[in-house]
Amino acid sequence: MSKKSQLVAQKSLATLLLLLLFSLKAIKLAAQTSEIELFPLANIRLLGGPFQAAQQTDLRYLLELNPDRLLAPYLREAGLTPKAPSYGNWEDTGLDGHIGGHYLSALALMVAANDNTEAKNCLAYMLGELQRCQQRDPDGYVGGIPEGKEMWEEIKAGKIKAESFALNGKWVPIYNIHKLFSGLIDVYILTGNEQAKNILMPLADWWFDVFDPLTDDQIQQVLVSEHGGMNEVFVDVAAITNDKKYLRMAERLSHHAILDPLRKQQDKLTGLHANTQIPKVIGFEKVASAMKKTDWERASTFFWETVVQNRSVSIGGNSEREHFHAADNFQRMLTSREGPETCNTYNMMKLSRNLFLRSGERKFIDYYERAVFNHILSSQHPEMGGFVYFTPMRPNHYRVYSQPQEGFWCCVGSGLESHGKYGELIYAHRKADLFVNLFMASTLDWREQGIRVRQETAFPYEQQTTIEIQTNKKQDFAVHIRKPIWLEAVDIHLTLDDKRVNYEEKDGFLVIRQAWKKGSSFIKMALPMTIKEEFLPSGEPWVSFSYGPIVLGAKQGKEGLKGLFADDKRMAHIASGTLLPLRDNPVMLAADQQVSSAVSIKDPDKLLFELHQLKREEEDVTMTLQPFYTIHDSRYTLYWRVADASTLDSLVASNRRLDSLQLLLDNNTVDAVIMGEQQPESDHHIQHEEAYTGVDEDAHWRASKAWFAYELKNSKNKAGKIWVKQERTSDACYELWVNDLLVKPVDELLVDEQFKLLIYSLEGDDHAKLAADRLLVTFKACNDRGTGKLFEVRLLKE
Ligand SMILES: [Zn+2]
């Protein structure tokens, strides 16, 4: 919080009064079908260890944000004068205000998890200002979307122009306002703050007023545009108000293009933008739970299974360049600089948590544990703070971190939240029975039952945990301790007050049921970890290693870590430094994929290991492995290509070929857009008319009956040529205009059966006109069949 806004917060009498009213009283929404319930986050505290440290780092980052800058879009849209300029990056290019919503959630989490006073002050200040904005609007609307109110009026009138990443020409406005809804709900549920509810309810009624008059078809049309989990939000609103009309709204806001194949247990996810879909499924599950729709329940479980079991890598992340790739082909994942996106895992964990609460099945926690240790914990810089967007699986690449005043990406928003809620699922209860789900040093205060729990462990640096159960009276109940999947083959060693204890094993949990004496009892559970290899779910010959649930990586060099701490440039969230040659990555030599003996322990206390059986061309190589979450500020490898002696030579030759192609493109590309993909298109300020997008296999394209255009960056006027990747045969055609100049193709290259490249020259007499930092590249249809499907445009030096 800036000094100025601190002053504002402190001076305001209204705010002080609010603070007095701000009693930390978590709200419990009526449990729908689930029997297992979470404890309020405010009853759980982390005790030391990497998770508490990560929470503190996140808190520092959170408090460096200036609420007045986050509020600026809201004030502007309400016709008020902003007290500070809005932030840049995604916050002033269309997604204005989205971080403000995440900020509310993150502050509420920090208030609940830490009782942090500064976070409380910021929260009170935010709510006061948001309410001030809302009071200016007769309909109860408040939002940061540029000229949002006008756009919502169009929607209300049934004028709907929806694309995957735009609605009526705005950059995913429902996704944006979903963050505000979620933020207000989180504040209310986590802290019991009534003011949040007092902003939420008029906002929900404004939404109702806009969307209720629309037909089901019109709503489905709107839902084509990325919309976060608006269905989830309305299940919560229904639970808060106990009014079924909001539940019907939640049901209507469920996107059938995604839901219906899932209800038939069909995986139609290839090519879809991953993080657009996951929140919808969180909503399907919540609607299912609230309305007892068993087929929707099965649909959400099926989605979870297909993503976790068929589409995820060892750290628990999924997707490449933000999209689900073909489940049987991880090739692009392993060569791309844009691996799993952190938001996806944040949302998959939410879904896992909810599915666990409903079903009590251990597998959901097994995934949650994998994701929290290996993806989420690793996605924040431990000392500097800052959040990771993409975690490349490409061997020997690296990740970049956001900076508080510069980067305002989606993964900053979800990152601010993620590290505040490590405590949420450590414990749970079913009536009077206690569940211990995760091995994290922490305490639980279960006031209603007169029970306190204290879990002491340095896991994974210590292979056991001690759980102290302290009750204020003698009472009967069961303690269910998760037996994680990685302990499946191991004899369990469990003691109570240092004596062997009777337990039953049920649904993946060790259940100690007895009369607990008044005072303290100590359960000790051994957590012996072993090395396990994990091939890709597709069966492709790439392997990753874990020790217990901890995924191991090899820390590598620091060369060329361009943009390690990202600036405010539009594409700064991508680790754009040099892709090092594939041929330099050691290959694991193993017959019949037998790799388990390749890892040996080097230093058990520090969790250091050695990886053998590696060959870099002719040379034998040994690499050191360590927990992936401890690797920062360097390149790393998580997956190794496995080959046997007979395939090694052809692999080396193929890597060399790919390297030279990559090098040629890397050295020559000035800028490029994958057409039809959300992020690259919006990063290049797409404009269009009568345009549409689609996916063939997993290749995205765009086409138009009229025209579409991108603004390409031509720094230092280096571009000499343009490549356009398109269908090899098509009777459609287009003209290519660069700025206001019609450019003709000079060459054509056939890529394969499906694609060809048309090559345009920017050199010649008119070139002077094109010597600009930014080139507006326009594709105009030249007949009524439109432009045809175009896949990629690339500015090249030569
Ligand atoms: Zn993200």
Side-chain angles (χ1 to χ4, degrees), residues 90 175 275 322 341-344 388-389 409-414:
W90 292 18
Y175 170 92
N275 198 44
E322 304 193 7
E341 177 188 347
T342 314
C343 285
N344 302 9
V388 167
Y389 197 116
W409 330 313
C410 51
C411 292
V412 169
S414 62

Coordinates of all heavy atoms in Angstrom, one line a residue, residues 90 175 275 322 341-344 388-389 409-414, ligand 1:
W90 N -1.6 -5.3 -18.7 CA -3.0 -5.8 -19.0 C -4.0 -4.9 -18.3 O -5.2 -5.0 -18.6 CB -3.2 -7.2 -18.5 CG -2.4 -8.3 -19.3 CD1 -1.3 -8.1 -20.1 CD2 -2.7 -9.7 -19.3 NE1 -0.9 -9.3 -20.6 CE2 -1.8 -10.3 -20.1 CE3 -3.7 -10.5 -18.7 CZ2 -1.7 -11.7 -20.3 CZ3 -3.7 -11.8 -18.9 CH2 -2.7 -12.4 -19.7
Y175 N -14.9 -12.5 -18.2 CA -13.8 -13.0 -17.4 C -13.3 -11.9 -16.4 O -13.0 -12.2 -15.2 CB -12.6 -13.3 -18.4 CG -11.3 -13.6 -17.7 CD1 -10.9 -14.9 -17.4 CD2 -10.4 -12.6 -17.5 CE1 -9.7 -15.2 -16.8 CE2 -9.2 -12.8 -16.9 CZ -8.8 -14.2 -16.6 OH -7.6 -14.4 -16.0
N275 N -7.4 -22.6 -19.9 CA -7.9 -22.0 -18.7 C -9.2 -21.3 -18.9 O -9.8 -20.8 -17.9 CB -6.9 -20.9 -18.1 CG -7.2 -20.6 -16.7 OD1 -7.4 -21.5 -15.9 ND2 -7.2 -19.3 -16.4
E322 N -0.9 -22.2 -23.7 CA -2.3 -22.0 -23.1 C -3.3 -22.9 -23.6 O -4.5 -22.8 -23.1 CB -2.8 -20.5 -23.3 CG -1.8 -19.5 -22.7 CD -2.4 -18.1 -22.6 OE1 -3.6 -18.0 -22.8 OE2 -1.7 -17.2 -22.3
E341 N 0.6 -23.2 -17.9 CA 0.2 -21.9 -17.3 C -0.2 -22.1 -15.9 O -1.0 -23.0 -15.5 CB -0.9 -21.3 -18.1 CG -1.3 -19.9 -17.6 CD -2.6 -19.4 -18.3 OE1 -3.0 -19.9 -19.3 OE2 -3.2 -18.4 -17.7
T342 N 0.3 -21.2 -15.0 CA 0.0 -21.4 -13.5 C -1.4 -21.3 -13.2 O -1.9 -22.0 -12.4 CB 0.9 -20.4 -12.7 OG1 2.2 -20.4 -13.2 CG2 0.9 -20.7 -11.3
C343 N -2.2 -20.4 -13.9 CA -3.6 -20.3 -13.6 C -4.4 -21.6 -13.8 O -5.3 -21.9 -13.0 CB -4.3 -19.3 -14.6 SG -4.0 -17.6 -14.3
N344 N -3.9 -22.4 -14.7 CA -4.6 -23.7 -15.0 C -4.5 -24.5 -13.7 O -5.5 -25.2 -13.4 CB -4.0 -24.4 -16.1 CG -4.0 -23.6 -17.4 OD1 -4.3 -22.5 -17.4 ND2 -3.6 -24.3 -18.5
V388 N 5.2 -16.6 -11.8 CA 5.5 -17.2 -13.1 C 4.2 -17.4 -13.9 O 3.2 -17.9 -13.3 CB 6.2 -18.6 -12.8 CG1 6.3 -19.4 -14.1 CG2 7.6 -18.4 -12.2
Y389 N 4.3 -17.2 -15.1 CA 3.2 -17.5 -16.0 C 3.3 -18.9 -16.6 O 2.7 -19.8 -16.3 CB 3.2 -16.4 -17.1 CG 1.9 -16.2 -17.9 CD1 1.1 -15.1 -17.9 CD2 1.4 -17.2 -18.8 CE1 0.0 -14.9 -18.6 CE2 0.3 -17.1 -19.5 CZ -0.5 -15.9 -19.4 OH -1.6 -15.7 -20.2
W409 N -0.6 -9.7 -15.4 CA -1.1 -10.9 -16.1 C -2.1 -11.6 -15.2 O -2.1 -11.5 -14.0 CB 0.0 -11.8 -16.5 CG 1.4 -11.2 -16.7 CD1 1.6 -10.1 -17.4 CD2 2.6 -11.7 -16.2 NE1 3.0 -9.8 -17.4 CE2 3.6 -10.8 -16.7 CE3 3.0 -12.8 -15.4 CZ2 5.0 -10.9 -16.4 CZ3 4.4 -12.9 -15.1 CH2 5.3 -12.0 -15.6
C410 N -2.8 -12.5 -15.9 CA -3.8 -13.4 -15.2 C -3.0 -14.2 -14.1 O -3.6 -14.3 -13.0 CB -4.4 -14.4 -16.1 SG -3.3 -15.3 -17.2
C411 N -1.8 -14.7 -14.4 CA -1.1 -15.5 -13.4 C -0.6 -14.7 -12.2 O -0.2 -15.3 -11.2 CB 0.0 -16.3 -14.1 SG -0.6 -17.5 -15.2
V412 N -0.5 -13.4 -12.4 CA -0.2 -12.5 -11.2 C -1.4 -12.5 -10.3 O -1.3 -12.7 -9.1 CB 0.2 -11.1 -11.7 CG1 0.2 -10.1 -10.5 CG2 1.5 -11.1 -12.4
G413 N -2.6 -12.4 -10.9 CA -3.8 -12.4 -10.1 C -4.0 -13.7 -9.4 O -4.3 -13.7 -8.2
S414 N -3.9 -14.8 -10.1 CA -4.2 -16.1 -9.4 C -3.0 -16.4 -8.5 O -3.2 -17.0 -7.4 CB -4.4 -17.2 -10.4 OG -3.2 -17.4 -11.2
Ligands
ZN1 ZN -2.6 -17.2 -16.1

